[in-house]
Amino acid sequence: MIFLDPDKRVDLATAASHIGDGALLALGGGLSSRLPMALVRELVRQGRTGLHVVGSAHSMDVDLLVAAGALSICEESYVGFEQDLGLAPAYRRAAESGTITLRESCCVTILTQLRAAEMGLPFLPVRGIKGTDMRRLHPEYAETTCPFTGEVLVAVPPLIPDAALIHAPLGDLHGNLYLDKPYVLDERFAGASRAVIATVDRIVSTDELVEYGITIPAHYVQAVAEVPFGAHPASSYPNYAYDRDHMGVYVKAASKPESAAQYIEEWVMLPDGEDGYRAKLGEESLQRLTTWSESTETWKGLFA
Amino acid sequence: MIFLDPDKRVDLATAASHIGDGALLALGGGLSSRLPMALVRELVRQGRTGLHVVGSAHSMDVDLLVAAGALSICEESYVGFEQDLGLAPAYRRAAESGTITLRESCCVTILTQLRAAEMGLPFLPVRGIKGTDMRRLHPEYAETTCPFTGEVLVAVPPLIPDAALIHAPLGDLHGNLYLDKPYVLDERFAGASRAVIATVDRIVSTDELVEYGITIPAHYVQAVAEVPFGAHPASSYPNYAYDRDHMGVYVKAASKPESAAQYIEEWVMLPDGEDGYRAKLGEESLQRLTTWSESTETWKGLFA
Amino acid sequence: MTYTFDEWFVVTLARTISDREVVFHGFGSPCAQVAMHVAKRTHAPDMLLIEGAMYAVNPNPPFIPPTGNDSSLKQGAAYSMKFEEFFDAAIRGDVDRMFLSGGQIDAYGNTNVTAVGPLEKPKVKLGGGGGGCNISATIGQLTLWTTRHRSGRTLVDKCDFITDIGHVTPAGNRAELGYTGGGPQWMVTELGVFDYDSEGRARLIEVFSDVDVDTVREATGFEFTTAADVKTVASPTCAELAIVRGIDPLGVRKSEFDPAELTRTYDHVHDPGCNC
Amino acid sequence: MTYTFDEWFVVTLARTISDREVVFHGFGSPCAQVAMHVAKRTHAPDMLLIEGAMYAVNPNPPFIPPTGNDSSLKQGAAYSMKFEEFFDAAIRGDVDRMFLSGGQIDAYGNTNVTAVGPLEKPKVKLGGGGGGCNISATIGQLTLWTTRHRSGRTLVDKCDFITDIGHVTPAGNRAELGYTGGGPQWMVTELGVFDYDSEGRARLIEVFSDVDVDTVREATGFEFTTAADVKTVASPTCAELAIVRGIDPLGVRKSEFDPAELTRTYDHVHDPGCNC
């Protein structure tokens, strides 16, 4: 959809209030980069339930939603913490005990479904899938025969998220967003979704934003909230690197239901929300993540 | 296809030599902007015949190929000189006398066919076409039924140009290209075609090019030739505006077969090729087109 | 103060735009192009103006150039769409209005910009439809216009070729074709203004002050009904006229008209509601 | 000079790359990631190196970080692809080689990265396939690898779930499925190296110097043939070792291994052809 209000600035609570229980959400960024963590934490604070998430390879955003009991259906292509921190603890536990519905998908399939939505088409063919077991997870897929070659391909329906949650390093009051590559699926999410709900580390003037370059234009964006370190502990380059230590703290806590609940109590359910979160992390620890550009040694040192 | 040579620089004659008689060519740019005019002129000089061109809305590039007898099939969405200079004279004459095959298409249809090529798919559905007479020009189109909704849509095959002819204001020796918006279909041409054959006004260092931003990466580009004013009389911003006066000279000449032939003799079949072309235009007239950024009055004055 | 017909025509086109619409014009359409900027600067400040062949979003060009993709047309735009970004938006229904013209236009608003005469050997090979064919099916509303109504060859009983979709085609109406766009809403010609009746046929509702209904009927190749009370097209305000002149100092809009139409001149009657 | 097993393993992966190939690794694959940079800096200078989750083209990262999409991984790249740009290239056949691993791998090179045990109630929910499923069908050649062969649970007779395509699946072989990619060409494990026979089954061709064929057989859940002469995997050169250490100073590659494997240490024997 298209949003024409000249000023889209709202606070985080208002931004998150656009998301209802059971919403189909596209999660921006991926792995350790530009995860919409502030929005995820706010949705947990507001007690959202029954969420259905779609996207490519994600980590703590999905796992935290699972740990908080906010998520019902997971349609990401991967959820985990790579080789470094391993499997996603809460996600794994919920999947193995059947408390969430698994609709694991594949990058090209998701991309194709988003393209169908973006192109206004009721289906698109996709190459691959045949020969794998992915259709066991997706009984909704169908088949289509190429009218030119006779080849039978898998057909997929459009995927129209209710909202795309996107964190950007910079934005303006109209909702224009600058992203640093990789954009992952965020541009496609913007075109396919009913709305983009954005957080940005910093709101700047449109002139300054144009200097950086606009990746996602304002007309896709329903609301933009300025939340410094809004992707933490994921990265938001060029502003800050990811906080490997804090990711480790989370993964350790999430390994058991009790300590996961304690993490959420301690780091998410703070009465003063994101201000409290940043205060608890401490100025020094956050500033350290911004020093990546000083030298290779400094950058490397963040991950040692 | 992917081209890995670290140095793709060639002269214009060599660049054009990659195009054979009867080739299916995607023409970069559109209307009065970034037309691959130097390549078009060189193909005429080399006596190419039977060319099949595809693309969106074009003007003098197509008309000159028609006037020179180099073109057999036209699959653009529009050929003309807008309201300002009117219908395309040689194209119109050839179309009305049946000496070229008309396969006029529509932007979304061409885009969809290029996407099929880019996505490695044997067909794609397209919305529209039904109810129009476009299928009279395209008996190759078929139909496909959506397996989810039962809707019958037109199905189109992939369009895989033998080469995309793209003019860029700046490039580097590897073949990376910077384009100023509108990119029109050039990015899609790069992904869908067997090769990109590029001309650039100026070859710069990769570092300088990265400052501008790379629009089309080197691995799509088979050959890049430095040809100053290689889009003339089309524009190549930020370097130069279009030469409305020269477009007018061409359109007038093209209105009759004899004067069209004379234009080609006088402006294209020069023994020293593009050097001769620029010399004939004169330094002063070319430099004038670069003054657009000096003031609104200057810019407007170019078109008065 | 006097004004000329091209100015009135452009203002009339501008008034077919509502505020908060997403609006697009094609290339080679200077009247529609100027009209969009007039609307944006008067009654439709929050429209999303997508500039023709540039796909620039809400630009503020210093002047309208005689070509549709000169860089001047994206000046002041923070963002320009990619080609596919615009066309995808149009197909999925995110564009509310498009301006569309044609060498032939029938009663249902089907248009021909491909060829006059038999396709195999056209009498006139027109330029071609650009992107209109597909997106005429899905864009919210269409404002059709022509500056060649008086020729008698433009508003025809039957298009020799249907390039862009009106309300009803030989293959069926929009609902039967599965199209989500609303089709032609207005048609503005140098003689008057039409809307469309419940059967999708053009109906004359207004004429310009120097035109009568009989003139319109003589120039029109199809039968049409008229509104009970055919009014005179509302005059431009001096604010609108100033904006037309400011945005189009080169008079590019005039290139759409037969020279005779440009001699039509009117006295501006001061409107008390206008703060000129 | 001594070197450790993780270094030898990475160099062995690197040698599966030919010069002038377009090569990709997925995220969470530090061994493949380091291997690609080793190849690019040694025998394959003109390969097109596409950096995993960054889609950066020929970057020159100052170090390999412990996450696959840290910005350090695009340093020195003039260009980074978009997500769709990479995946389109992979599907249409413009990518020559991909590195692929799995929690389970069968004799035909089908891999499971989705779930061990019944899908409805998995014993272990693995992370998921990322993009491998579709593109394993169309990429030119696959280099499979695992660092968990010795566990006995990785190379299995039958995958509990097929996420990525090998040579033959229960639904047919690649030709029958209409897939253009060549499928698995090599499989490198911490015990040895396999190629694939004409029936698409893994065949042991090399073992590491501290491994014998029986050890491999005991750890493998499917029957396999061996080359007539099972050789020892070629040792790394000191140039290759220096590059491994230089590109991966944090030792991120080690995170793929059971700690016991990291204690495997070797003496470097000077090769007269090596200009160390």
Side-chain angles (χ1 to χ4, degrees):
Chain A
M1 266 177 59
I2 304 291
F3 298 92
L4 297 172
D5 287 330
D7 189 345
K8 313 265 183 63
R9 289 172 299 178
V10 295
D11 61 21
L12 180 62
T14 307
S17 72
H18 291 292
I19 315 299
D21 284 341
L24 175 55
L25 299 180
L27 297 172
L31 293 176
S32 66
S33 166
R34 284 195 306 94
L35 303 180
M37 291 305 304
L39 278 163
V40 161
R41 285 187 290 264
E42 184 62 22
L43 289 171
V44 172
R45 279 180 213 118
Q46 296 187 7
R48 213 67 82 249
T49 59
L51 300 174
H52 175 173
V53 295
V54 297
S56 59
H58 280 252
S59 67
M60 183 168 161
D61 45 355
V62 175
D63 205 67
L64 184 60
L65 287 171
V66 173
L71 195 146
S72 288
I73 306 173
C74 184
E75 198 164 348
E76 305 285 325
S77 72
Y78 167 89
V79 182
F81 293 83
E82 309 173 71
Q83 289 297 325
D84 191 37
L85 300 169
L87 297 175
Y91 171 73
R92 182 184 165 183
R93 198 160 50 238
E96 291 170 10
S97 64
T99 57
I100 60 171
T101 302
L102 288 184
R103 288 204 200 140
E104 186 177 308
S105 189
C106 179
C107 293
V108 172
T109 310
I110 297 170
L111 170 62
T112 306
Q113 295 188 264
L114 293 168
R115 276 174 159 163
E118 212 173 352
M119 294 163 76
L121 292 169
F123 84 101
L124 279 178
V126 61
R127 193 174 289 287
I129 300 180
K130 291 191 298 179
T132 74
D133 286 316
M134 297 302 282
R135 291 184 74 176
R136 290 170 58 195
L137 293 164
H138 291 276
E140 78 274 20
Y141 296 167
E143 285 181 355
T144 182
T145 302
C146 174
F148 305 111
T149 64
E151 181 181 356
V152 176
L153 294 122
V154 173
V156 292
L159 191 53
I160 306 178
D162 293 313
L165 309 188
I166 294 180
H167 180 79
L170 299 170
D172 71 7
L173 67 95
H174 309 303
N176 290 304
L177 305 177
Y178 161 76
L179 306 185
D180 192 53
K181 276 188 181 173
Y183 303 151
V184 201
L185 281 168
D186 293 12
E187 290 179 296
R188 303 285 67 79
F189 286 154
S193 299
R194 294 190 217 280
V196 172
I197 306 296
T199 52
V200 298
D201 293 318
R202 196 155 53 90
I203 291 202
V204 298
S205 71
T206 300
D207 284 349
E208 188 179 341
L209 198 69
V210 167
E211 287 297 305
Y212 281 90
I214 291 171
T215 317
I216 294 182
H219 54 264
Y220 288 131
V221 178
Q222 183 173 19
V224 57
E226 186 180 65
V227 185
F229 291 95
H232 184 278
S235 66
S236 180
Y237 285 100
N239 296 338
Y240 45 92
Y242 88 121
D243 189 340
R244 182 179 177 230
D245 295 339
H246 190 86
M247 287 265 192
V249 166
Y250 172 76
V251 170
K252 189 148 179 263
S255 68
K256 296 220 161 54
E258 305 71 34
S259 49
Q262 197 185 330
Y263 177 94
I264 290 168
E265 202 51 40
E266 196 174 325
W267 289 97
V268 180
M269 303 306 288
L270 295 158
D272 42 358
E274 291 296 303
D275 291 345
Y277 179 75
R278 285 193 305 278
K280 190 167 160 60
L281 287 160
E283 181 74 10
E284 197 183 329
S285 119
L286 289 171
Q287 284 311 311
R288 181 167 169 265
L289 302 171
T290 69
T291 62
W292 64 273
S293 61
E294 288 175 7
S295 72
T296 295
E297 284 311 304
T298 309
W299 200 350
K300 204 167 60 179
L302 294 175
F303 308 140
Chain B
M1 267 178 60
I2 303 292
F3 299 93
L4 297 172
D5 287 330
D7 188 345
K8 312 266 183 64
R9 288 172 299 177
V10 296
D11 61 21
L12 179 63
T14 306
S17 73
H18 291 290
I19 314 300
D21 285 342
L24 175 54
L25 299 180
L27 296 172
L31 294 175
S32 67
S33 166
R34 284 194 307 93
L35 303 179
M37 290 305 303
L39 278 164
V40 161
R41 285 186 290 263
E42 183 63 21
L43 289 172
V44 172
R45 277 178 214 121
Q46 295 186 9
R48 214 66 84 250
T49 59
L51 300 175
H52 174 175
V53 295
V54 298
S56 59
H58 279 252
S59 66
M60 182 168 162
D61 46 355
V62 176
D63 205 67
L64 184 60
L65 287 172
V66 173
L71 195 146
S72 289
I73 305 172
C74 185
E75 198 163 350
E76 305 285 327
S77 71
Y78 168 89
V79 182
F81 293 83
E82 309 172 72
Q83 290 295 326
D84 190 37
L85 300 170
L87 297 176
Y91 171 74
R92 181 185 165 181
R93 198 160 50 237
E96 292 169 10
S97 64
T99 57
I100 60 171
T101 302
L102 289 184
R103 288 203 200 141
E104 184 176 310
S105 189
C106 179
C107 292
V108 172
T109 310
I110 297 169
L111 170 62
T112 306
Q113 295 188 264
L114 293 169
R115 277 172 157 164
E118 213 174 350
M119 294 163 76
L121 291 169
F123 84 101
L124 279 178
V126 61
R127 193 173 289 286
I129 300 180
K130 290 190 298 177
T132 74
D133 286 315
M134 296 301 283
R135 290 183 74 176
R136 289 171 59 196
L137 293 164
H138 290 278
E140 79 275 20
Y141 295 168
E143 285 180 356
T144 182
T145 303
C146 173
F148 304 111
T149 64
E151 181 181 357
V152 177
L153 294 122
V154 173
V156 292
L159 191 53
I160 306 177
D162 293 313
L165 309 188
I166 294 180
H167 181 79
L170 299 171
D172 72 6
L173 67 94
H174 308 302
N176 291 303
L177 306 177
Y178 161 76
L179 307 185
D180 193 52
K181 276 187 180 174
Y183 303 152
V184 201
L185 280 168
D186 293 12
E187 290 179 295
R188 302 285 69 76
F189 285 155
S193 299
R194 296 198 161 85
V196 171
I197 306 296
T199 53
V200 297
D201 293 320
R202 197 155 53 91
I203 290 198
V204 298
S205 72
T206 299
D207 283 350
E208 187 178 343
L209 198 69
V210 166
E211 287 296 305
Y212 281 89
I214 291 172
T215 318
I216 294 182
H219 52 264
Y220 288 131
V221 178
Q222 182 172 20
V224 57
E226 186 180 66
V227 184
F229 291 94
H232 184 277
S235 66
S236 180
Y237 285 101
N239 297 337
Y240 46 92
Y242 89 120
D243 189 339
R244 182 179 178 232
D245 295 339
H246 190 86
M247 286 265 193
V249 166
Y250 171 77
V251 170
K252 187 149 181 264
S255 68
K256 296 222 159 54
E258 305 71 34
S259 47
Q262 197 185 331
Y263 177 93
I264 291 168
E265 200 53 39
E266 196 175 326
W267 289 97
V268 180
M269 303 306 287
L270 296 158
D272 43 358
E274 290 298 301
D275 290 346
Y277 179 75
R278 287 193 304 279
K280 189 166 160 60
L281 287 160
E283 181 74 10
E284 197 183 331
S285 117
L286 288 171
Q287 284 311 310
R288 182 169 168 266
L289 302 171
T290 69
T291 62
W292 64 272
S293 60
E294 288 175 7
S295 72
T296 294
E297 284 311 303
T298 309
W299 200 351
K300 203 168 59 180
L302 295 176
F303 307 140
Chain C
M1 189 173 76
T2 63
Y3 57 93
T4 52
F5 181 70
D6 53 291
E7 296 171 324
W8 193 0
F9 185 81
V10 160
V11 168
T12 305
L13 283 180
R15 290 175 176 178
T16 69
I17 296 169
S18 301
D19 197 14
R20 300 185 72 85
E21 282 185 341
V22 177
V23 188
F24 175 76
H25 70 81
F27 55 84
S29 309
C31 284
Q33 189 173 28
V34 174
M36 283 171 58
H37 288 283
V38 171
K40 177 86 180 164
R41 293 167 193 211
T42 56
H43 66 280
D46 287 336
M47 70 185 269
L48 194 84
L49 187 162
I50 304 172
E51 180 64 59
M54 298 303 281
Y55 313 107
V57 177
N58 292 335
N60 192 7
F63 61 91
I64 302 294
T67 180
N69 64 357
D70 188 74
S71 205
S72 55
L73 293 167
K74 67 174 178 182
Q75 298 301 298
Y79 185 76
S80 294
M81 293 182 180
K82 292 188 176 194
F83 182 96
E84 52 271 33
E85 195 179 347
F86 166 72
F87 281 104
D88 284 348
I91 292 289
R92 75 174 176 264
D94 272 350
V95 177
D96 298 312
R97 181 173 303 280
M98 172 169 65
F99 286 87
L100 202 59
S101 188
Q104 294 181 327
I105 306 175
D106 72 15
Y108 296 104
N110 297 301
T111 60
N112 173 12
V113 279
T114 298
V116 175
L119 190 57
E120 301 63 36
K121 207 169 172 65
K123 193 171 148 223
V124 185
K125 176 64 190 88
L126 300 168
C133 164
N134 304 81
I135 63 181
S136 64
T138 51
I139 282 181
Q141 310 286 348
L142 307 177
T143 297
L144 304 184
W145 90 102
T146 176
T147 57
R148 303 286 172 164
H149 189 171
R150 211 189 291 267
S151 73
R153 294 189 302 266
T154 305
L155 296 201
V156 296
D157 187 46
K158 186 175 177 308
C159 291
D160 294 337
F161 186 100
I162 296 180
T163 315
D164 307 309
I165 295 279
H167 287 289
V168 182
T169 76
N173 65 26
R174 288 181 164 256
E176 288 159 349
L177 294 167
Y179 292 154
T180 50
Q185 183 181 27
W186 309 106
M187 177 169 60
V188 179
T189 83
E190 81 276 28
L191 302 179
V193 179
F194 295 78
D195 67 2
Y196 288 84
D197 65 21
S198 59
E199 290 176 11
R201 289 185 63 95
R203 182 182 78 132
L204 185 69
I205 57 166
E206 292 175 351
V207 290
F208 286 99
S209 60
D210 50 358
V211 174
D212 59 31
V213 175
D214 284 347
T215 304
V216 179
R217 218 176 283 282
E218 280 164 31
T220 305
F222 54 78
E223 297 292 314
F224 61 86
T225 58
T226 65
D229 174 21
V230 174
K231 296 211 168 74
T232 300
V233 179
S235 311
T237 66
C238 48
E240 287 167 329
L241 290 169
I243 286 167
V244 172
R245 292 166 191 180
I247 186 72
D248 186 22
L250 295 172
V252 170
R253 66 191 177 276
K254 295 177 196 281
S255 63
E256 289 203 41
F257 294 92
D258 186 279
E261 305 294 344
L262 298 173
T263 64
R264 294 164 67 183
T265 308
Y266 310 87
D267 284 317
H268 184 260
V269 180
H270 185 73
D271 173 350
C274 171
N275 52 3
C276 311
Chain D
M1 189 174 77
T2 63
Y3 58 92
T4 53
F5 181 70
D6 54 289
E7 296 172 323
W8 193 0
F9 186 82
V10 159
V11 168
T12 305
L13 283 180
R15 289 176 177 178
T16 69
I17 296 168
S18 301
D19 198 14
R20 302 185 71 85
E21 282 185 341
V22 178
V23 188
F24 175 75
H25 71 81
F27 55 84
S29 309
C31 284
Q33 189 174 28
V34 174
M36 281 169 60
H37 288 283
V38 172
K40 177 86 181 165
R41 293 168 193 208
T42 55
H43 66 279
D46 288 336
M47 70 186 268
L48 195 84
L49 188 163
I50 304 172
E51 181 64 60
M54 299 303 282
Y55 313 106
V57 176
N58 292 333
N60 193 6
F63 61 91
I64 302 294
T67 179
N69 64 357
D70 187 75
S71 206
S72 55
L73 292 168
K74 68 175 176 180
Q75 298 301 298
Y79 185 78
S80 294
M81 293 182 180
K82 293 189 175 194
F83 183 96
E84 53 269 35
E85 194 180 347
F86 166 72
F87 281 106
D88 284 347
I91 292 290
R92 73 174 176 263
D94 271 351
V95 177
D96 298 312
R97 181 174 303 279
M98 172 168 65
F99 287 86
L100 202 57
S101 189
Q104 294 181 325
I105 306 175
D106 73 14
Y108 296 104
N110 297 301
T111 60
N112 173 13
V113 279
T114 299
V116 176
L119 190 56
E120 300 64 34
K121 207 170 173 64
K123 192 172 148 222
V124 185
K125 176 63 189 90
L126 301 169
C133 165
N134 304 82
I135 64 180
S136 63
T138 51
I139 283 181
Q141 310 286 346
L142 307 178
T143 297
L144 304 185
W145 90 103
T146 176
T147 58
R148 303 286 172 162
H149 188 171
R150 212 189 291 268
S151 73
R153 294 189 303 266
T154 306
L155 297 200
V156 296
D157 187 48
K158 186 174 177 307
C159 290
D160 294 338
F161 187 100
I162 295 179
T163 316
D164 307 308
I165 295 279
H167 287 288
V168 182
T169 77
N173 64 27
R174 289 182 162 256
E176 287 158 350
L177 294 167
Y179 291 156
T180 49
Q185 184 181 28
W186 308 106
M187 176 168 60
V188 179
T189 83
E190 81 277 27
L191 302 180
V193 179
F194 295 78
D195 67 3
Y196 288 84
D197 66 21
S198 59
E199 289 174 12
R201 288 185 65 95
R203 182 182 77 134
L204 184 69
I205 56 165
E206 291 175 352
V207 289
F208 286 100
S209 61
D210 51 358
V211 173
D212 59 32
V213 174
D214 284 347
T215 304
V216 179
R217 216 174 283 282
E218 279 163 33
T220 306
F222 55 78
E223 298 290 315
F224 61 85
T225 58
T226 65
D229 174 21
V230 175
K231 297 211 167 76
T232 301
V233 178
S235 312
T237 66
C238 47
E240 288 167 328
L241 291 170
I243 287 165
V244 171
R245 293 166 191 180
I247 186 72
D248 186 23
L250 295 172
V252 169
R253 65 190 177 278
K254 295 178 197 282
S255 62
E256 289 204 40
F257 295 92
D258 186 277
E261 305 295 344
L262 298 173
T263 65
R264 294 164 66 182
T265 307
Y266 310 87
D267 284 317
H268 185 260
V269 180
H270 184 72
D271 174 348
C274 171
N275 50 3
C276 311

